[in-house]
Amino acid sequence: MRGPGIEPTGSRDNLKDMKMHSNSSQADPDEIQNDDVVGSALRWSIAVIVLLTVAGVSIWLAMRPAAEQVATSGGVTVLPVARATPTMVIPEIPFEDITMLAGIDFVHENGAEGEKLLPETMGGGGAFLDFDNDGDQDLLCINSNVWPWATEKPAAAPTSALYANDGTGRFTNVTIGSGLDVPLYGNGVGCGDFNNDGKVDVFISCVGSNHLFRNEGGGKFRDITEEAGVAGGETSWSSSCGWFDYDLDQDLDLFVCNYIEWSREIDASMEFTLDGKLRAYGRPTDFKGAFPYLYRNDGDGKFTDVSEPAGVQVRDPNTGVPASKSLGVTFADVNSDGLCDIVVANDTVQNLLLLNQPGGTFIESAATSGIAFDNSGAARGAMGIDSAFFRNTDVLGIVIGNFATEMTALYVCQAPGAAIPVFRDEAVSNGLGPVTRTDLKFGVLFLDADLDGRIDLFENNGHLEEDIQVVQASQHYAQLPHLLWNCGPDFDSEFVMLPEDKTSVDFVKRMVGRGASMADIDADGDLDLMLFSSGGHPRLLRNQQQTGNHWLRVRLHGTSSNHNAIGAQVDLTLADGTVLIRTVMPTRSYQSQVELPVTFGLGKADTYESLKIHWPDGLLQELPGGGVNRMIEVTQ
C-alpha cells in the first residue's frame, strides 16, 4: 500500500516529460492519472484470478482418490539379525585367608572408649613395600593409639607393625628396633624413595603431627620430620597421602589430605545420637573442612609447603572456608599432557580434580569435568579412590567408594586427551552402581583378579556405627567385601558381583573394613589382597585362582625420572592388537599403598608383541615382546 506523502508511479517529472514530447494534442493530467488507476486494478485482478486457479487445482489434487496400488512380487523380506550375545562364563576366583598362617598378628587400636570421637572410625590403612630391596613385597600396618586421656592404657603403647616377607608369603614381625616402632595416632601411609637413593621411605599421616621416616638401610628408619618440614599442624587430622613428581624435576613431592577441623572439645560439644538417646559418631557436615598439604621436594632432604601458591587450597566461593573434607587421593594424568593430576575424594562435599599446569600450579576443575558430584548434582560421602584403563582402551575410569545407601561411582572419561577432560558417572549403566548401593565402601582397588586381561574391582566395606542396626535393620557394622568381575563390553552389565561360591567362604567373611592393598606376595603371578580394619585384625587373602591364564609383571627403575618410576605408563600389546595399559601408581585405595610392580593378566596369550614405557620425564622406551609368566626388570 502507498502511504501519505508518497508520490505515485507517474511522478511530477514524468508528467512534465509527457507534455513536452506529445506529437499532437496536449494530454490531460487527470486522464493520465485515471489510466494508471485502471491499469493497476486490472493487474491486481489478474493476479487474484491466477492465485484462485492454483489453489483450486491444488485442492482437487489433494482430494483425488489415490491410485490403486498393484502388488508385485518383491522377493523375501530380510529381517534384521538379532545380536548374538556370548555365553557368560563366570570364573572361580577363590581367596584363602592366610593371616595367621602367614605370621600377621597385628591388631588395630582405634582408642574407642565410649566417647564416640570421630577419628576412632576412620583409621586402618597400610602398604605393601619392598623396604629391604630383596625383590619381594613386605607389609606395613598403620596403627592408631589409645587417647592421652584414656582411663585404661596398655602396658606398652601400640605402634605400627613392619613385616618382612620371605618370598613365599610368610612374614616376620621386624618392627622392634626398626625406627617405625613409634606410638602415634596414625591413619594413612605413603611410600616413596624421595631422595633417589634406592631405598623406599615412609610417611605416616596422623591425627596431630605427621611423620616422615627415611630408610637408612639394614631394616632401619630414622624420623626426619622436623628437619624435612613436613609435620603439618599439631592439631591437624591427615588422612590419605602419597608421593608423585608434580614438577618433573626427578624427585618425589608429597601430597597429604586433611579431613576436617577437629578436636575432642568440638566433637564432645555436639550432641550426635542415633535415635535421640544412643551417642553416635559425628557427621562431617557439622565440622569445618581443611586444606590439603602439597610439599615440594627441594632435593636436599627438605621440603617447602607450596599448598597456597600451587593452587591446591580450594575455598568455598560463598564462605571462603576450605572446600575439602578429604579422605582419598590418587594421581593420574587425566588429560594426557604428561603431568600427573590430583584426584581427591571428599566426604559430603564436592570431589576435587586438580589439573597440573606447566610451571607447577593447579586448576580445580571437578565440576567442569563432571566428577565433583553424582548425576543429580549432589555431593556424596566419598572415601576410597582408584583409577585405571579398565576397558583396554585409552579411556580412563575413576572409581570412588561412597557411603552406605550411595552407589559406588565410576566416572568414565568421554573425551580422552582433551585439555579439560569430561567424565560421566556410568555406574548405573554398566551394572556397578545398583549392587554396591547398600554397603559403606572404603578401600577400592582396580585389579585383574583372574588374569584374563580385563581389570576387575575390589571393595573393602564396613560401617562407622556398632549400633547401626538399631536404626537401620539392613545395615551391619561388619560388612562383606565385594569382588566385581569385569565381564567385558558384550554384556548388559560390565561388572558382575561374584557370589560366595566363586570367591570362597574365607573371602566373604564380614569385617569392619577400611583400607586395602594388593601385591603378589608369593611370586605366582596373581594379586593377593590385604584388607585393613578399624579396631580389629586385618585379613591377608591369598589369591588361589586356577584359571590357567598367563601373566607378565614389570618392575621399573628410573634414572632421569624418579627412582621408583612413579607416574610411568606401561603399554603391553598383544598379537591381536589389544593394548593393555598399567600405571605405576602406589597411591590408591583408602589411606593405603600398593606394590610398585605392575601386573598384566594375558588370558590365554602365551606371548606378547611389545612393551612401551612412557617414563615420567617424557622419554619413550620400547621393548620387544617375548615369553610370559615372569617378572621383567626395566631400567630407564
Side-chain angles (χ1 to χ4, degrees), residues 153-224:
K153 295 185 178 180
T159 71
S160 297
L162 180 65
Y163 294 90
N165 188 350
D166 68 357
T168 69
R170 291 182 178 271
F171 294 83
T172 301
N173 192 325
V174 295
T175 309
I176 297 176
S178 68
L180 297 177
D181 49 346
V182 179
L184 41 78
Y185 203 102
N187 288 313
V189 58
C191 305
D193 181 5
F194 75 83
N195 55 1
N196 287 327
D197 66 351
K199 299 184 291 291
V200 63
D201 311 296
V202 172
F203 179 87
I204 299 179
S205 61
C206 304
V207 174
S209 298
N210 300 316
H211 292 263
L212 175 59
F213 298 91
R214 185 173 64 201
N215 191 336
E216 304 285 288
K220 306 294 182 182
F221 291 81
R222 185 165 76 87
D223 191 334
I224 62 165

Side-chain angles (χ1 to χ4, degrees), residues 114-120 147 149 237 260-273 278-283 286-287:
E115 281 190 88
K116 292 288 185 80
L117 302 176
L118 193 53
E120 298 164 2
W147 294 113
W149 52 83
W237 176 354
I260 56 173
E261 185 179 307
W262 179 87
S263 70
R264 182 191 185 194
E265 292 71 27
I266 294 173
D267 203 331
S269 69
M270 300 181 185
E271 298 182 356
F272 301 116
T273 65
L278 287 171
R279 167 74 178 178
Y281 287 108
R283 299 176 299 272
D286 294 311
F287 295 87

Side-chain angles (χ1 to χ4, degrees), residues 243-263:
W243 300 91
F244 73 130
D245 185 6
Y246 83 93
D247 51 5
L248 297 183
D249 63 352
Q250 302 179 28
D251 55 29
L252 292 174
D253 311 296
L254 178 64
F255 186 86
V256 183
C257 292
N258 286 310
Y259 184 35
I260 56 173
E261 185 179 307
W262 179 87
S263 70

Side-chain angles (χ1 to χ4, degrees), residues 36-59:
D36 287 342
V37 171
V38 172
S40 177
L42 180 61
R43 288 192 295 270
W44 276 106
S45 298
I46 293 172
V48 170
I49 292 171
V50 171
L51 289 174
L52 290 174
T53 301
V54 171
V57 172
S58 298
I59 293 172

Side-chain angles (χ1 to χ4, degrees), residues 325-376:
K325 298 178 181 181
S326 304
L327 287 176
V329 66
T330 192
F331 311 106
D333 183 4
V334 300
N335 54 3
S336 304
D337 64 354
L339 299 170
C340 262
D341 309 299
I342 307 171
V343 195
V344 179
N346 280 327
D347 191 4
T348 70
V349 295
Q350 73 154 79
N351 303 315
L352 299 181
L353 174 56
L354 300 166
L355 292 178
N356 197 345
Q357 306 297 299
T361 60
F362 293 81
I363 296 176
E364 206 293 302
S365 67
T368 304
S369 297
I371 69 170
F373 306 104
D374 67 12
N375 287 335
S376 63

